[in-house]
Amino acid sequence: MEEEQTEDYIDFKLQRDSANVREELCTSIPLFLYKHGLSSQPTSTRKWVKQSNTAKLAALINTFQEWPQLLDTSLPSVTQPLVLAFKQYIQHHPDRYLQSPRAEVDLVEPLPRAVCKLLYTLCKVRGTKVISIFFSNEPSLLEPMLDAFESWEFRSIEGKVDPSSTANTMTWEERYIMLLWLSHLTQTPFDLATISSFDARRSSHTPPMSPLFSIFPGVAQRLLDLGFRYLFSVSKEHDAAKSLLVRLCMRPDMNRLGLKQSCMHWLLQSLKDLLDGSEPMSIYRLIGCLSFLAGFFKSCDGISIAPFIMTVLECTQNISAAGTVHTKMAYGSAAVRKLVVKIHRASAIHLLSDCSFSADSETDNMTLLGNIIDQLMMCLGDKDNPVRFAASKALSIIAQVLDPDMKEQLLDALADKLRDDLGGTGSDTAAGAPSKSDEEYPEQDLSMANPLQWQGLILTMSHLLYRRSVPEEKLPMVVALLMNALDFEQRSSTGASTGSIVRDAACFGMWSVARKCTTKELIRVAASGIRSRRNPKPHSSVFPVLAAELVLTAALDPEGNIRRAASAALQELVGRHPDVVSRGIDLVQVIDYQAVGLRSRAMSDVALQAATLGDVYLYALTDGLLSWRAIGSPNPAVRRQATTVVGRIFHLHGSVPISPLVQRIDEERAQSLDEWHGLYLALAEIIRLDPSISCRSVTTRHNSPSRQLVRFLHENGPISIDDIVAQGKKAYLAAEALCTMMAALGESSPVSVVDGIHESSQQTRDSTDLKDFEYHLAILEQSYEYSMQITPGVIPAATVSIFRQADGSNQRQLLLERILYTGKDYVTQRNPEASVGWIAALGGVFQACLESTPALLDKLRVPIHDALVSQLGEQSNWLSKTAALKHLFKPVFLECLRNGLNMMPLHQALLHCLDDRSVANSREVGSEVRTQAIETTGSFNELVHWNEAQRVEIFGRIYGLALEKLDRIRDRAWRCIMMHPDAVLPKSHRCVQVLYIERERMAALSTSSVMFFNFMLHFCNDDRLRLAMIRGLITSASSGGEALLSAARLAISRFLTMTSPADADLFYDTLLAAIRSEMPTGRLLWPGMEVLAFLLDVDVVTHDSTNHEAAADWSSSTTLLIPRFSSSSSSTE
């Protein structure tokens, strides 16, 4: 949950700050590209730019990677200056590229390289097709671009530049952008022969078909040379080279010269040589040929392709069959399989045209088409996402040109493949047919389903819906399949979700249904044919069913992108089909695209608001909360949050159906401990919130549902201690569930005061069975061991519950003895972490005695006081200290104060915790103790419990901790000071008055700022606080972070410069005293010498010219520390 919240916060922050990022981009790019004169106007294009500046601009563009549409409003302002600068550079200063820079080569780069990097980043974020629109298409730019490319690339390859200089070598980003730009320029309407000013330049590289180059214009020869050179590249530029070659072949003037036929013959021969082993197999060469072929087939008409289609299909069939070593190696590449899918798609489109492509009279086009569709159907279950995406899109495009009968056959084939993955009797229902029972919908067995194939099939149906290729009579079947896919979930052996890809594809399908299907078409879809278990009431229309499923997915799905996709589909459904969705406008305002981004907010706020808008949404969310989305989630934090929502959702029904939950608890315990844990927590929350169960009336206790529930749970076999231990690493889940249930039952136990003792009414209820009491107590004691993993507060609440349900003072006395004495022995036999649970239980029972049982309190007061002091002692571990401070210190302190007990041990224990510097496993765990000690001190509403000397001792340390180097401790100490500003100084003190008057502004002050340290140093003028504050200040001014170090040192230098000489001398003397006081431990020795060196370096020691004698004495005192410092350092080494 924390990781997800962090990611969603970054997402939210991008949307909030996108305007500022766009403005920064638009402002920075002109400064990056041009030199500016005194008038702040651009004067000339830069020759070299800093690589760090390029990286900063690329980082700004990359922030829009997840939300590229946020960049659209500023895209012209960002892209056009880059294009213009590049254009000016190659037209006027192309020779500058090959010159060596005067600065360090590793720090600067040529301007074209930086521009190409930024343009590639824009292409990566927003898409190549969008960015290429902004490229200049002036025909006059074609030859300068070619000249620059050849000059920069070929001269560096041929060794005509300094080989040791990396600044003169083109990068792949440059080649990619320039090839992409050249392919854009090849679309000029003029014949290339008319714009070729001279013959082609020859390089050492010999391109394919070079004997035929003589018949082509010079520009075309140079373009072909570049295209074939980089077509087989291993980096990104092969895509741009493919686009360049395809567009060049499609030109009419080049067709007249036979370029298209020549390229096709060369491509087929190259493929044949690669596949039969005539040439060494190279995956990148094969990818280059196939990508060129796929682009060729996509761009050419059927007549041009007709002579070659049979040969191409034979090649792709050989690759798919993987019958030889070479074809098996080729088919192992996902890129190759994706290109084969694209070639099949283009081939199928051409086969469905009017031309006859069959070379054999016995083979017709429909047979070839059927083979292609079969191959594409097989690719829907491919292991790689790109292949499945390409196959699903290909089938939808082919279906657009199929006749209605073949469309139905295709849809039936897709549905049959889905049925093959479904087990049980639910397959017919999933295919759109009504179930045999009008009220019972059998569960779908998806445990053996292939999520990859499901994604491909559902994505294909979604594309068919988007392209309106689904016949109306097949719409109910497709909608039913999409709703099944929305509920698809599987997990891998490592616990990762593999069903999210299926639900994501289903959301696209639901969005396509809402966007592309008319209201009349959807009204004719019978709701009875749609499998729905969300609502027991039948629906006459499919709209409530669709809306309920989308609400459920948008509010409860674990994946943020799926929740947003479902929200977008719901908005489309309400917007495109008005007045057919119940409370549609209110619904889309609640299920907002941004509101569902954070899972915690979607599950709690959004789900609860949506549940109040209608029973159809209430039943859907109830069913979803009890499924794998919430209660059955593998994440314990999600289950804990879901239980609070379950309790509130269930009570919106008007009655609480506890029996089904109890039955599921008994079933799931043997199958899934995670789901059992969630169900138990949910049941406990329902009991806690139900007024009929949590009644406080003594007269209704006899027939209390909680008592009946306890009996029911025990009759069905309560979990024993051995059952908990047997769960291994998940044992804490069982312990937490049982303790939470005990705490909920305790809230429903009515009590009354009898003879001064707060007891349960003996006349109106059954006696608590001793066996139940022993069972609850044993569970509580076992839970001590898992206290660090259990939700905080559960163990104290469970202890109070046992106390409340105890049968009279005898059982309560037994409870106290078990916790106080036996519990202590129990802790010593386990790991030290169990002490946290024991102390929490001790705090809970002490709090219960304070509220109800004065007689037992007299016996408990002294033993708990002694236990608290011992747990806060030096020999205790840090976990025990923090737990004792959190659960016991305040109530025990106040009780001892009321009864006149000796307070000095508790006072000394608190001082010890504020000074705790213990280390465990190379970790300074004392910071945890100090933090909890600060919070405990701040929790007291008034400080009249301490005398003035005690307050000065305690808050002197808190003022010092407010200047420590750890951010967390400074923040907590500062909040404590804000809560008690007059704990040490009177209200008339100037700084205290500032804390009272400017409370809000001071509370928002950053504890790492110079202003904060400036303000805190004013307290150093008080003799009672000075030593403790300087001890904390030494750590911040010597070894903190860079920002903290600068702020602390700047504040010290300002303070010593502006304060009086007497106060400065007191500061110096106290600084030396602080270092000397920690000399035995050496804790402040090194940091103190760092601060001394800084003060001497900035020369603030002698800022008062009239007090040279004091400065000299201080300097001599400082030198006395150096021998001791050196000996300590050498011993440390």
Side-chain angles (χ1 to χ4, degrees):
M1 288 290 287
E2 292 180 0
E3 294 180 0
E4 187 234 0
Q5 289 179 10
T6 303
E7 293 174 1
D8 287 315
Y9 175 73
I10 295 174
D11 197 12
F12 166 76
K13 186 178 179 181
L14 170 61
Q15 298 174 53
R16 184 189 64 189
D17 300 338
S18 60
N20 295 333
V21 177
R22 290 196 303 268
E23 183 180 358
E24 184 178 357
L25 269 176
C26 296
T27 305
S28 302
I29 285 180
L31 298 175
F32 172 77
L33 297 173
Y34 299 99
K35 298 178 181 178
H36 290 70
L38 297 177
S39 60
S40 299
Q41 296 296 324
T43 56
S44 61
T45 307
R46 294 185 185 275
K47 178 180 178 182
W48 303 90
V49 294
K50 293 182 179 179
Q51 293 182 4
S52 59
N53 293 340
T54 308
K56 288 178 182 178
L57 289 175
L60 288 176
I61 298 172
N62 278 322
T63 56
F64 296 94
Q65 184 74 54
E66 296 296 329
W67 294 84
Q69 64 272 19
L70 294 176
L71 193 59
D72 286 352
T73 56
S74 302
L75 208 53
S77 302
V78 172
T79 308
Q80 288 176 354
L82 295 172
V83 172
L84 181 60
F86 191 91
K87 175 183 171 183
Q88 292 175 350
Y89 191 97
I90 63 173
Q91 286 181 332
H92 304 295
H93 313 288
D95 295 335
R96 289 182 177 180
Y97 188 92
L98 300 176
Q99 298 176 5
S100 299
R102 288 178 293 177
E104 292 291 336
V105 175
D106 294 336
L107 300 180
V108 297
E109 58 188 351
L111 180 66
R113 181 174 303 167
V115 170
C116 289
K117 286 182 178 179
L118 295 178
L119 287 174
Y120 169 73
T121 306
L122 287 168
C123 290
K124 178 183 67 175
V125 171
R126 196 60 190 94
T128 302
K129 293 181 180 179
V130 176
I131 301 302
S132 61
I133 296 174
F134 298 97
F135 289 167
S136 175
N137 56 0
E138 301 175 16
S140 60
L141 189 61
L142 179 58
E143 283 201 331
M145 181 81 71
L146 272 172
D147 293 339
F149 195 112
E150 293 170 344
S151 175
W152 300 346
E153 178 72 354
F154 297 158
R155 289 186 63 182
S156 61
I157 292 175
E158 295 168 3
K160 297 183 179 180
V161 295
D162 184 5
S164 63
S165 175
T166 58
N168 302 120
T169 305
M170 289 184 72
T171 62
W172 66 268
E173 291 100 339
E174 292 176 274
R175 292 191 290 268
Y176 174 74
I177 292 298
M178 294 183 75
L179 287 171
L180 194 64
W181 203 333
L182 285 171
S183 69
H184 188 67
L185 292 172
T186 55
Q187 296 178 332
T188 176
F190 308 106
D191 286 351
L192 294 181
T194 62
I195 57 177
S196 296
S197 58
F198 49 82
D199 292 336
R201 299 176 181 176
R202 294 299 179 188
S203 66
S204 58
H205 174 256
T206 304
M209 304 184 306
S210 55
L212 301 176
F213 275 22
S214 59
I215 63 174
F216 301 139
V219 170
Q221 295 182 39
R222 296 164 68 185
L223 290 172
L224 288 170
D225 185 11
L226 291 179
F228 283 114
R229 176 186 290 270
Y230 298 107
L231 180 63
F232 311 127
S233 173
V234 299
S235 53
K236 185 71 174 176
E237 60 261 32
H238 73 83
D239 285 340
K242 179 261 298 182
S243 298
L244 174 63
L245 290 174
V246 170
R247 289 181 177 179
L248 197 60
C249 291
M250 294 302 107
R251 289 185 56 86
D253 55 338
M254 303 306 295
N255 278 335
R256 290 192 296 269
L257 297 175
L259 179 60
K260 184 186 299 184
Q261 289 75 14
S262 301
C263 286
M264 278 300 302
H265 286 294
W266 172 82
L267 275 174
L268 295 176
Q269 185 61 42
S270 299
L271 283 174
K272 182 180 178 182
D273 294 341
L274 286 171
L275 296 177
D276 62 15
S278 301
E279 289 186 13
M281 171 56 70
S282 171
I283 291 296
Y284 296 106
R285 186 174 181 85
L286 180 61
I287 290 174
C289 292
L290 289 176
S291 62
F292 190 7
L293 189 60
F296 217 101
F297 267 50
K298 180 181 178 181
S299 303
C300 290
D301 54 10
I303 298 177
S304 302
I305 293 299
F308 310 104
I309 193 167
M310 291 300 300
T311 307
V312 170
L313 290 177
E314 288 177 3
C315 291
T316 56
Q317 180 62 35
N318 291 336
I319 295 175
S320 301
T324 64
V325 175
H326 299 88
T327 56
K328 187 178 296 184
M329 182 187 303
Y331 199 70
S333 170
V336 171
R337 297 198 301 275
K338 178 182 175 180
L339 291 170
V340 168
V341 168
K342 289 186 175 182
I343 293 172
H344 283 164
R345 182 187 74 184
S347 301
I349 297 299
H350 292 309
L351 286 171
L352 290 169
S353 63
D354 294 335
C355 301
S356 177
F357 297 91
S358 178
D360 188 352
S361 58
E362 298 180 358
T363 305
D364 57 4
N365 292 353
M366 291 300 101
T367 303
L368 294 175
L369 181 63
N371 293 335
I372 290 175
I373 292 178
D374 288 341
Q375 291 288 334
L376 294 177
M377 291 281 285
M378 292 177 59
C379 291
L380 292 178
D382 195 274
K383 64 179 181 178
D384 291 301
N385 270 335
V387 181
R388 295 195 301 275
F389 290 168
S392 61
K393 186 177 180 181
L395 284 171
S396 66
I397 293 176
I398 293 172
Q400 280 187 298
V401 292
L402 291 176
D403 56 41
D405 292 338
M406 295 191 68
K407 287 182 182 178
E408 292 187 8
Q409 293 177 16
L410 177 60
L411 283 168
D412 290 336
L414 295 173
D416 288 340
K417 291 182 74 68
L418 286 173
R419 290 191 188 100
D420 293 341
D421 272 347
L422 291 176
T425 58
S427 58
D428 294 336
T429 306
S435 62
K436 296 180 181 180
S437 173
D438 294 335
E439 298 180 358
E440 296 181 359
Y441 294 90
E443 291 283 348
Q444 302 297 319
D445 183 12
L446 298 175
S447 59
M448 301 303 294
N450 182 1
L452 302 182
Q453 184 166 330
W454 266 71
Q455 184 207 22
L457 295 169
I458 295 297
L459 195 59
T460 303
M461 291 186 175
S462 302
H463 277 295
L464 290 172
L465 285 166
Y466 181 74
R467 301 176 190 278
R468 290 192 59 82
S469 298
V470 176
E472 188 175 344
E473 57 273 12
K474 292 293 182 180
L475 193 57
M477 177 191 72
V478 175
V479 172
L481 289 168
L482 292 177
M483 292 179 63
N484 271 332
L486 280 177
D487 206 29
F488 190 100
E489 174 61 358
Q490 280 188 11
R491 293 198 170 269
S492 64
S493 58
T494 60
S497 174
T498 57
S500 58
I501 56 176
V502 180
R503 301 196 303 277
D504 189 39
C507 286
F508 173 46
M510 299 294 278
W511 180 85
S512 301
V513 168
R515 185 176 182 87
K516 296 297 182 177
C517 297
T518 64
T519 305
K520 293 182 178 180
E521 289 174 342
L522 291 178
I523 288 176
R524 287 193 288 268
V525 176
S528 59
I530 305 298
R531 174 180 178 269
S532 175
R533 297 178 290 107
R534 313 297 185 195
N535 195 337
K537 302 177 182 179
H539 294 291
S540 59
S541 172
V542 75
F543 286 103
V545 180
L546 295 178
E549 290 292 332
L550 291 174
V551 167
L552 169 62
T553 304
L556 301 180
D557 198 274
E559 304 295 333
N561 62 315
I562 297 177
R563 293 195 300 273
R564 290 193 177 101
S567 173
L570 181 63
Q571 293 182 28
E572 201 73 26
L573 182 68
V574 174
R576 298 271 177 178
H577 310 279
D579 302 327
V580 293
V581 177
S582 175
R583 304 286 297 275
I585 300 300
D586 297 333
L587 195 63
V588 296
Q589 290 176 347
V590 171
I591 311 292
D592 182 70
Y593 188 82
Q594 308 300 337
V596 299
L598 190 63
R599 187 178 187 184
S600 58
R601 181 183 177 187
M603 184 181 293
S604 55
D605 299 341
V606 174
L608 286 173
Q609 293 178 43
T612 62
L613 296 179
D615 288 344
V616 61
Y617 313 123
L618 175 61
Y619 282 107
L621 290 168
T622 302
D623 186 80
L625 285 167
L626 297 178
S627 67
W628 54 268
R629 292 180 174 90
I631 294 300
S633 172
N635 189 343
V638 175
R639 295 198 298 271
R640 294 183 186 115
Q641 184 190 2
T643 57
T644 61
V645 185
V646 167
R648 299 171 65 181
I649 285 282
F650 262 60
H651 288 86
L652 292 176
H653 288 274
S655 61
V656 184
I658 288 182
S659 298
L661 282 178
V662 174
Q663 293 174 2
R664 284 188 62 185
I665 285 174
D666 192 59
E667 295 171 359
E668 292 296 338
R669 186 178 57 175
Q671 299 178 9
S672 172
L673 181 62
D674 289 338
E675 189 164 352
W676 181 90
H677 170 257
L679 289 168
Y680 224 93
L681 295 182
L683 186 56
E685 183 68 13
I686 293 171
I687 294 172
R688 191 182 67 84
L689 294 178
D690 192 340
S692 65
I693 295 178
S694 300
C695 58
R696 301 300 183 198
S697 172
V698 175
T699 58
T700 60
R701 174 60 189 268
H702 183 69
N703 294 320
S704 171
S706 64
R707 184 62 54 197
Q708 300 172 17
L709 179 60
V710 171
R711 297 298 182 194
F712 186 88
L713 291 175
H714 287 179
E715 289 172 2
N716 285 269
I719 289 185
S720 64
I721 301 300
D722 294 336
D723 292 336
I724 295 178
V725 177
Q727 302 300 328
K729 293 183 178 180
K730 290 188 176 183
Y732 75 96
L733 297 177
E736 179 183 8
L738 293 171
C739 286
T740 305
M741 179 61 73
M742 288 191 292
L745 295 177
E747 293 189 17
S748 64
S749 299
V751 289
S752 61
V753 178
V754 180
D755 296 331
I757 299 178
H758 203 218
E759 292 191 13
S760 301
S761 178
Q762 302 294 328
Q763 294 83 6
T764 58
R765 72 168 182 87
D766 296 331
S767 297
T768 304
D769 188 78
L770 182 60
K771 182 179 179 181
D772 294 345
F773 176 78
E774 290 289 345
Y775 170 70
H776 290 164
L777 193 54
I779 293 296
L780 178 66
E781 291 176 342
Q782 184 64 35
S783 301
Y784 297 163
E785 192 167 348
Y786 315 112
S787 57
M788 297 299 294
Q789 299 167 287
I790 292 177
T791 303
V794 169
I795 291 180
T799 308
V800 174
S801 170
I802 299 174
F803 183 86
R804 295 174 66 89
Q805 297 183 80
D807 184 15
S809 58
N810 292 333
Q811 285 193 3
R812 293 183 179 182
Q813 180 71 29
L814 177 61
L815 172 64
L816 296 177
E817 292 176 356
R818 286 281 293 273
I819 293 178
L820 188 58
Y821 302 109
T822 310
K824 190 183 300 183
D825 298 335
Y826 180 88
V827 170
T828 58
Q829 298 171 5
R830 300 296 196 275
N831 58 68
E833 294 181 357
S835 61
V836 177
W838 173 67
I839 294 172
L842 198 59
V845 74
F846 186 74
Q847 191 67 36
C849 289
L850 285 175
E851 296 174 356
S852 60
T853 317
L856 290 178
L857 186 60
D858 294 336
K859 302 178 182 180
L860 190 64
R861 189 179 297 114
V862 174
I864 287 189
H865 173 274
D866 296 340
L868 173 60
V869 173
S870 67
Q871 292 301 318
L872 294 179
E874 294 184 3
Q875 302 302 322
S876 183
N877 63 77
W878 69 276
L879 293 172
S880 299
K881 292 179 183 178
T882 54
L885 287 168
K886 181 178 181 180
H887 297 287
L888 279 178
F889 188 87
K890 183 177 179 180
V892 172
F893 183 90
L894 295 177
E895 179 63 19
C896 293
L897 184 68
R898 283 193 292 266
N899 290 273
L901 297 181
N902 184 14
M903 306 298 298
M904 188 54 64
L906 293 179
H907 173 71
Q908 293 298 328
L910 182 59
L911 291 178
H912 171 73
C913 291
L914 288 171
D915 289 334
D916 193 289
R917 306 282 172 178
S918 56
V919 177
N921 298 326
S922 303
R923 174 190 169 203
E924 206 254 316
V925 295
S927 61
E928 303 289 344
V929 181
R930 298 198 301 276
T931 301
Q932 187 60 52
I934 294 170
E935 291 186 351
T936 301
T937 304
S939 65
F940 287 93
N941 297 328
E942 297 180 359
L943 301 177
V944 295
H945 319 301
W946 290 295
N947 57 43
E948 183 178 357
Q950 291 175 337
R951 290 201 307 271
V952 170
E953 280 188 305
I954 292 173
F955 273 86
R957 285 164 171 78
I958 292 178
Y959 273 83
L961 293 174
L963 296 177
E964 244 198 40
K965 67 177 181 179
L966 295 180
D967 296 342
R968 182 180 68 257
I969 293 182
R970 286 201 315 278
D971 292 340
R972 303 289 173 82
W974 177 236
R975 288 205 297 266
C976 184
I977 293 171
M978 291 292 298
M979 293 173 64
H980 305 286
D982 57 345
V984 178
L985 301 175
K987 292 184 179 180
S988 59
H989 193 278
R990 181 179 178 183
C991 293
V992 176
Q993 290 180 350
V994 171
L995 291 178
Y996 274 113
I997 297 172
E998 300 288 343
R999 178 173 294 273
E1000 292 184 2
R1001 187 172 67 87
M1002 298 302 291
L1005 189 64
S1006 172
T1007 57
S1008 299
S1009 63
V1010 179
M1011 185 181 298
F1012 170 77
F1013 281 94
N1014 286 337
F1015 179 78
M1016 289 298 296
L1017 283 174
H1018 285 86
F1019 292 101
C1020 286
N1021 293 327
D1022 190 279
D1023 296 337
R1024 300 169 295 175
L1025 302 176
R1026 186 181 300 111
L1027 179 60
M1029 293 187 67
I1030 289 180
R1031 283 176 176 170
L1033 187 62
I1034 287 174
T1035 62
S1036 296
S1038 60
S1039 56
E1042 183 177 353
L1044 178 65
L1045 193 71
S1046 301
R1049 291 186 172 185
L1050 181 58
I1052 293 174
S1053 61
R1054 287 181 179 177
F1055 175 78
L1056 294 176
T1057 304
M1058 300 177 65
T1059 192
S1060 65
D1063 290 339
D1065 291 340
L1066 287 174
F1067 184 91
Y1068 303 142
D1069 294 339
T1070 309
L1071 178 61
L1072 293 175
I1075 299 175
R1076 291 192 188 100
S1077 65
E1078 297 288 343
M1079 195 69 72
T1081 61
R1083 185 177 68 86
L1084 293 181
L1085 191 57
W1086 179 277
M1089 297 302 292
E1090 288 280 350
V1091 176
L1092 293 177
F1094 165 73
L1095 294 177
L1096 292 170
D1097 185 53
V1098 298
D1099 199 24
V1100 296
V1101 176
T1102 59
H1103 73 282
D1104 182 19
S1105 60
T1106 64
N1107 199 8
H1108 296 288
E1109 184 178 352
D1113 293 341
W1114 186 83
S1115 299
S1116 62
S1117 300
T1118 304
T1119 57
L1120 294 177
L1121 294 173
I1122 296 177
R1124 303 179 67 177
F1125 170 72
S1126 302
S1127 61
S1128 175
S1129 300
S1130 60
S1131 62
T1132 303
E1133 295 175 359

